[in-house]
Amino acid sequence: CTAVAETALVFDQVPGPADLLARLKIPTSPPKGPCAVNCESAAGVRAYTTGAAIDESTVFEHEGRFFKNQEHVVRVGEFSFRNPPVFVQRADLRARDALAEVESLLDHLFRHPNTPVFFARLLIQRLVTSNPSPRYIADVAEAFRSGTYAAPDPQQTASDVAAAPAATSGAYGDLAATVLAVLLHDEARDGGEGKASPETSGALREPLLKVVHFLRAMEYVDDTGREVSLRDLSEVIGQFPYLSPSVFNYYLPDYK
C-alpha cells in the first residue's frame, strides 16, 4: 500500500476548550493580526483568521496557548492515523526544538484524561487515607479539572457561598482547589456517608517508617555516641532504603 501524508482542516467553527485540546496538537506562535472571534472571552477559545471564514489558516488561542486549525494525517490504504508533530529535525539540530518537544510532551501528559484521577488518588493516599473510596477520588479529580471546590456545609446558604472570597483560580490543574478537596471532603473529616471502619480508614505506614518512628519515640541513641546505623532489614521487614526492586520504589502506582 502507498502511504500518503496530508494536511486536513479540523474545525469549521470555534470549538469549546475540551474539543480544542483533544483535537489540535500543532502549536504555533501568536498571530500578528488581531483576534477575530470570541475576543472578549477570558476562559474560552479565541480565533484569529485571515479571512471571513474559519479555515486551515485559522489559529485558536486558549489560556495563552496557540494552535493551528490543522491535523496531519497519514493514510495507508483504508486506514489512517494522525501524524504526530516532530520538532527536532536531524539535518538542523537546535536546543530550542528539543525544549519545544519536551514542553509538548509535558503538556500532553498534563492534559491527559487519566491525570486528574491518578494524581487525586496518590495525593489522598499521602495526606489522608490509604484506601479512598471511588467517590472521594472522583470529587478530588473533578476539583483538579475544574479548578474549583466548595466544601459541603449544611449551615451555609447559597448566598453565603456566593459571597465567600474565591480561593481558587478556576483553571485546570489548580492545586489549591485539589488540596481543598482532599482535606475538606466529608470522607477526610468524618469518614463520609459510610463512616469508614478503623480497619480501613487512615494511612498505613511502611514497615521502615514504623521502625524509624519507634526509635524516635524511644529516643534511641547509640551507647558509644556514634551515628545510628541500621543493618539491611530486607529479610526482616521486606524493605530497606535504596534497595527497592523497581523505579516505582516498593509500591506500584496502582497499589492499594
Side-chain angles (χ1 to χ4, degrees):
C1 296
T2 302
V4 179
E6 59 184 39
T7 300
L9 174 71
V10 180
F11 297 107
D12 57 6
Q13 60 184 358
V14 179
D19 291 335
L20 178 142
L21 295 173
R23 294 289 306 279
L24 298 185
K25 305 297 181 181
I26 305 177
T28 185
S29 56
K32 295 182 180 179
C35 172
V37 184
N38 279 2
C39 301
E40 302 300 325
S41 176
V45 177
R46 301 177 182 179
Y48 298 78
T49 63
T50 56
I54 293 178
D55 53 23
E56 293 183 12
S57 64
T58 300
V59 172
F60 293 116
E61 177 191 2
H62 176 59
E63 295 183 348
R65 302 166 62 200
F66 297 86
F67 300 88
K68 292 183 178 180
N69 187 27
Q70 303 174 1
E71 63 179 356
H72 293 173
V73 180
V74 177
R75 303 188 185 279
V76 182
E78 299 179 355
F79 302 95
S80 65
F81 57 90
R82 185 176 67 86
N83 192 19
V86 177
F87 297 86
V88 180
Q89 304 295 330
R90 294 184 179 181
D92 183 21
L93 298 176
R94 294 180 296 180
R96 182 185 66 182
D97 295 338
L99 291 174
E101 189 154 339
V102 172
E103 288 291 336
S104 180
L105 173 61
L106 293 177
D107 287 341
H108 169 74
L109 296 176
F110 179 59
R111 295 285 179 176
H112 194 281
N114 288 345
T115 296
V117 176
F118 182 83
F119 184 76
R121 185 176 61 80
L122 292 181
L123 197 60
I124 294 172
Q125 288 180 325
R126 284 294 180 182
L127 299 180
V128 180
T129 178
S130 296
N131 295 293
S133 70
R135 183 176 70 89
Y136 191 1
I137 296 175
D139 290 345
V140 175
E142 180 57 32
F144 184 94
R145 291 190 194 94
S146 65
T148 59
Y149 182 75
D153 188 345
Q155 297 182 351
Q156 272 190 326
T157 64
S159 58
D160 293 333
V161 175
T168 57
S169 66
Y172 176 89
D174 189 310
L175 290 182
T178 307
V179 174
L180 282 174
V182 171
L183 299 180
L184 299 181
H185 195 275
D186 57 353
E187 288 192 26
R189 294 181 294 176
D190 58 14
E193 299 176 356
K195 301 294 181 183
S197 64
E199 291 79 9
T200 59
S201 62
L204 181 64
R205 288 181 296 173
E206 299 180 33
L208 183 63
L209 293 182
K210 289 184 178 181
V211 173
V212 174
H213 290 172
F214 177 78
L215 293 176
R216 287 178 173 176
M218 296 295 102
E219 299 183 353
Y220 177 83
V221 294
D222 187 80
D223 292 338
T224 61
R226 296 180 301 177
E227 181 180 355
V228 177
S229 177
L230 299 176
R231 64 181 178 86
D232 185 358
L233 299 176
S234 300
E235 298 296 329
V236 180
I237 62 175
Q239 65 174 184
F240 202 70
Y242 312 114
L243 297 179
S244 59
S246 75
V247 295
F248 296 107
N249 208 340
Y250 284 95
Y251 301 94
L252 296 176
D254 58 352
Y255 176 82
K256 296 182 180 180

